[in-house]
Amino acid sequence: MSNADKFDAIGIVVDWIDACKKRHLDTLLDLYADGATVECCEGGSFRGPSEIKRYWGPRLVRQAVGSFEIDALFLEEDGVSLDYRGYDGHAVRTHFRFDDTGKIRLT
């Protein structure tokens, strides 16, 4: 049984995109495990709540019109993939991996 079978992985990702869209940083951070890592395509890696907050905080504040709209969302063997409009309105694909409790451990 995969982690995605133990909890609603799709629902967690929808909660994630909703928190981003509404600029609810605390709600977004609550979706991540304590030791989670955000790896970004700009060449950085952010680990733990304070670094993830440092990554997402400014992006949520300066989000463009049409950002955080879902283009595609699908289960994978080891998590969920999400195609969406990033904070700047550009197309992004993010892969979500979860811990056993349903918290995001890696994006």
Side-chain angles (χ1 to χ4, degrees):
M1 176 181 278
S2 72
N3 281 346
D5 295 329
K6 298 175 189 174
F7 49 83
D8 182 8
I10 295 284
I12 293 165
V13 174
V14 169
D15 289 346
W16 182 92
I17 203 89
D18 286 344
C20 290
K21 192 181 296 189
K22 294 175 183 174
R23 298 180 174 154
H24 291 173
L25 183 58
D26 289 337
T27 302
L28 179 68
L29 294 173
D30 285 344
L31 296 170
Y32 286 94
D34 287 339
T37 301
V38 171
E39 294 178 349
C40 64
C41 56
E42 293 112 22
S45 183
F46 301 83
R47 185 177 175 96
S50 64
E51 288 187 19
I52 293 172
K53 182 176 185 175
R54 185 169 52 94
Y55 175 79
W56 274 114
R59 286 164 175 79
L60 296 182
V61 168
R62 32 178 234 261
Q63 65 180 272
V65 173
S67 60
F68 301 110
E69 293 296 327
I70 296 173
D71 294 326
L73 179 62
F74 48 94
L75 284 172
E76 296 181 316
E77 185 175 316
D78 58 348
V80 173
S81 277
L82 171 67
D83 293 346
Y84 69 103
R85 300 293 150 176
Y87 75 95
D88 56 4
H90 293 106
V92 177
R93 173 170 284 171
T94 298
H95 304 280
F96 292 80
R97 305 300 176 249
F98 301 91
D99 68 11
D100 290 335
T101 67
K103 294 284 191 173
I104 300 166
R105 68 173 174 78
L106 176 67
T107 57

